[in-house]
Amino acid sequence: MTAVLEESSDTRLPPFSLRELADSLDTPPGVKVEVIEGAIVMSPTPSKKHGAVVRRLDRQLIPQLPEDRVAEQNYSIEALEGEDFASPDLLIVPVAVEEEDGWLVDPDDVDCVVEVVSPSNHTNDTKVKPSLYARWRIPVHLVIDPRDGTTRVYWDPQGGEYRAHHDTEFGDEVVLPEPLKDVRIDTSVFPRYGT
């Protein structure tokens, strides 16, 4: 069988956005797709220990969050402008967001983003995303790194950078700043990679 294509004088592709392209990709289950600084970024399915950190953190947050806030794992945050979007491992937003259509959250609705560092994509988690979230004015950014058993809390985004951060090791208690003042995280329950 031979297929014949009709000739056309218009050789341009139809216009598309990076978000549309990212959404249309045929990716295996569990692969996360984001648009970061104008590039499509794909991350592999997280490891079991990565998932354990997120679950154990979520269980600690639930009883401590105000009634009008919720921790979510399935939302993406859209850029203030442009087509970028990021899908953190966990984010804290108003409960009212659950009633909205769509999958993108306005960064002004996000109190905190959490990234658990992946061994294969650590530069994205430790260098690129802190800058991105600061530019989007997200008040608190928590980075949990099971590679070396450390955490870093960023806060006070000003002029596209976080002006403050605090480092701890697994075993230390992390106390989140405003707008989640006094939310406490026991890091001793987080597993480390390779142990």
Side-chain angles (χ1 to χ4, degrees), residues 44-82:
T45 301
S47 71
K48 295 171 189 166
K49 287 185 177 180
H50 183 284
V53 171
V54 175
R55 184 185 61 78
R56 292 172 190 181
L57 173 62
D58 187 48
R59 289 182 76 171
Q60 291 184 54
L61 291 173
I62 290 170
Q64 296 186 71
L65 292 178
E67 287 185 20
D68 65 340
R69 294 293 187 262
V70 64
E72 292 287 352
Q73 298 179 39
N74 298 313
Y75 297 158
S76 296
I77 306 166
E78 66 179 324
L80 294 168
E81 51 190 48

Side-chain angles (χ1 to χ4, degrees), residues 77-153:
I77 306 166
E78 66 179 324
L80 294 168
E81 51 190 48
E83 296 186 68
D84 284 7
F85 68 90
S87 303
D89 292 310
L90 188 130
L91 61 148
I92 298 172
V93 293
V95 172
V97 168
E98 294 179 322
E99 302 303 318
E100 297 173 2
D101 290 327
W103 54 280
L104 291 169
V105 176
D106 186 306
D108 290 337
D109 289 334
V110 180
D111 293 332
C112 176
V113 291
V114 178
E115 294 289 355
V116 178
V117 177
S118 300
S120 63
N121 202 13
H122 57 87
T123 301
N124 193 43
D125 293 332
T126 61
K127 304 285 186 215
V128 176
K129 290 212 175 159
S131 173
L132 183 75
Y133 294 145
R135 287 195 317 267
W136 293 354
R137 300 184 309 268
I138 294 177
V140 179
H141 174 38
L142 172 62
V143 179
I144 302 172
D145 195 342
R147 295 175 309 155
D148 59 7
T150 61
T151 64
R152 175 172 278 187
V153 179

